Amino acid sequence: QMDPANGREAMLEHEADVVEGADILMVKPGLAYLDLVRRTREEFPNQPLAAYNVSGEYSMVKAAAANGWINERAVVLEILIGFRRAGADLIITYHALDAARWLRDG
């Protein structure tokens, strides 16, 4: 488990992963560490990059939506856009089925 306050350690871990032949780099949890998604993309531009939208992030959105505090569709799509804008090639999320349906249905 890494120190969440130490972004430099994350970059060193990514560097070690690349040297060891990793097929893909991942930032987990993704939402809280969008800065690391961006830094990883900048430092390893040719390496496939995943952002993992973990269950706690999913649960926060679901709870807020259930209480009527947010528009779930709008918030989820904005979160996913944020991952993409930060540089993620792949987004792993529990919102996948809902997001696919919302995008399909317009």
Side-chain angles (χ1 to χ4, degrees), residues 27-57:
V27 176
K28 174 187 174 189
L31 190 56
Y33 300 108
L34 286 174
D35 62 317
L36 294 179
V37 174
R38 169 54 63 198
R39 284 177 62 187
T40 302
R41 170 53 57 227
E42 289 170 354
E43 291 190 30
F44 305 97
N46 299 317
Q47 193 74 25
L49 175 58
Y52 193 132
N53 187 209
V54 298
S55 61
E57 296 164 346

Side-chain angles (χ1 to χ4, degrees), residues 11-87:
M11 293 300 101
L12 291 173
E13 290 292 333
H14 282 323
E15 184 176 357
D17 292 340
V18 170
V19 168
E20 293 172 5
D23 293 320
I24 193 166
L25 299 175
M26 183 179 344
V27 176
K28 174 187 174 189
L31 190 56
Y33 300 108
L34 286 174
D35 62 317
L36 294 179
V37 174
R38 169 54 63 198
R39 284 177 62 187
T40 302
R41 170 53 57 227
E42 289 170 354
E43 291 190 30
F44 305 97
N46 299 317
Q47 193 74 25
L49 175 58
Y52 193 132
N53 187 209
V54 298
S55 61
E57 296 164 346
Y58 171 83
S59 297
M60 289 188 295
V61 170
K62 285 294 194 181
N67 281 297
W69 299 336
I70 62 167
N71 175 320
E72 181 180 2
R73 180 185 187 279
V75 169
V76 168
L77 294 178
E78 190 169 349
I79 287 169
L80 298 178
I81 288 169
F83 287 132
R84 218 26 216 127
R85 282 182 36 200

